[in-house]
């Protein structure tokens, strides 16, 4: 069930920590993953809550969990993709601090696993635009997935 979806890029990220706190790298303009800057925002999610499903038709997403823990779920519905019909689960947290790059037309959503709440940072390559998004409820019958 948890095979890797084509074109999803997982990049381990660096945390520099000392007794004062930490610096958490996310995305640099000289990275091969970086396309261009559109917008960055932070999304909170409470424990056991689900934010799903949504798909961007044009934007590339770059997710990193900067606080807490989440289960990110991806679904490939792209016609002709070699991974069409596959789901991929990725647990994100400080212990697995990574950047997840999601190209357009991949359904995604996440579930809060942290003790109270978690925070996801998202750096899009385009400014957020509701007109290029599709949203469906997490329990929509289109998806054969049990959160």
């Amino acid at each position: 069930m948890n095979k890797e979806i084509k074109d999803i890029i997982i990049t381990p990220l660096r945390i520099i920590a000392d007794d004062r706190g930490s610096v958490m790298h996310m995305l640099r303009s000289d990275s091969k993953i970086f396309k261009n800057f559109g917008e960055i925002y932070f999304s909170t999610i409470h424990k056991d809550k689900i934010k799903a499903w949504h798909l961007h038709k044009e934007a590339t997403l770059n997710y990193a969990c900067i606080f807490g823990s989440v289960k990110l779920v991806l679904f490939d519905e792209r016609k002709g993709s070699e991974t069409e019909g596959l789901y991929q689960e990725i647990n994100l947290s400080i212990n697995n601090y990574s950047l997840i790059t999601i190209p357009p037309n991949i359904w995604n959503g996440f579930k809060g696993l942290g003790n109270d709440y978690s925070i996801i940072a998202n750096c899009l390559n385009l400014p957020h635009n509701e007109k290029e998004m599709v949203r469906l409820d997490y329990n929509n019958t289109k998806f054969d997935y049990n959160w």
Side-chain angles (χ1 to χ4, degrees):
M1 138 93 129
N2 197 33
K3 296 184 178 181
E4 292 183 13
I5 292 176
K6 183 177 179 10
D7 302 320
I8 299 297
I9 302 169
I10 301 173
T11 306
L13 294 175
R14 191 168 165 218
I15 299 175
I16 303 167
D18 63 22
D19 63 339
R20 301 168 296 163
S22 58
V23 172
M24 301 165 64
H25 289 249
M26 183 174 169
L27 186 59
R28 295 170 48 116
S29 64
D30 60 355
S31 165
K32 64 182 177 180
I33 292 166
F34 182 80
K35 292 183 178 182
N36 56 287
F37 178 77
E39 174 182 5
I40 188 166
Y41 69 83
F42 303 91
S43 180
T44 62
I45 185 163
H46 295 284
K47 180 180 173 69
D48 296 326
K49 298 298 180 182
I50 299 166
K51 288 188 176 183
W53 293 95
H54 74 280
L55 171 145
H56 287 266
K57 295 184 244 178
E58 300 170 12
T60 295
L61 313 176
N62 290 286
Y63 284 150
C65 182
I66 62 169
F67 180 81
S69 176
V70 300
K71 175 172 68 169
L72 172 66
V73 181
L74 308 167
F75 177 64
D76 188 357
E77 191 183 47
R78 298 172 294 173
K79 299 295 180 216
S81 168
E82 61 191 65
T83 54
E84 181 181 357
L86 289 182
Y87 290 88
Q88 182 175 352
E89 296 177 349
I90 304 168
N91 286 331
L92 299 175
S93 70
I94 299 304
N95 297 329
N96 182 28
Y97 188 55
S98 301
L99 182 71
I100 311 302
T101 302
I102 305 168
N105 297 303
I106 299 287
W107 288 99
N108 68 91
F110 41 89
K111 179 177 182 175
L113 303 176
N115 289 337
D116 187 18
Y117 69 96
S118 300
I119 302 173
I120 298 287
N122 184 10
C123 183
L124 293 87
N125 70 328
L126 300 172
H128 180 79
N129 178 355
E130 281 292 326
K131 292 179 182 173
E132 68 92 27
M133 287 186 69
V134 180
R135 293 182 190 271
L136 293 173
D137 196 61
Y138 78 92
N139 59 3
N140 188 291
T141 57
K142 173 185 190 83
F143 303 97
D144 184 21
Y145 187 79
N146 182 5
W147 287 93

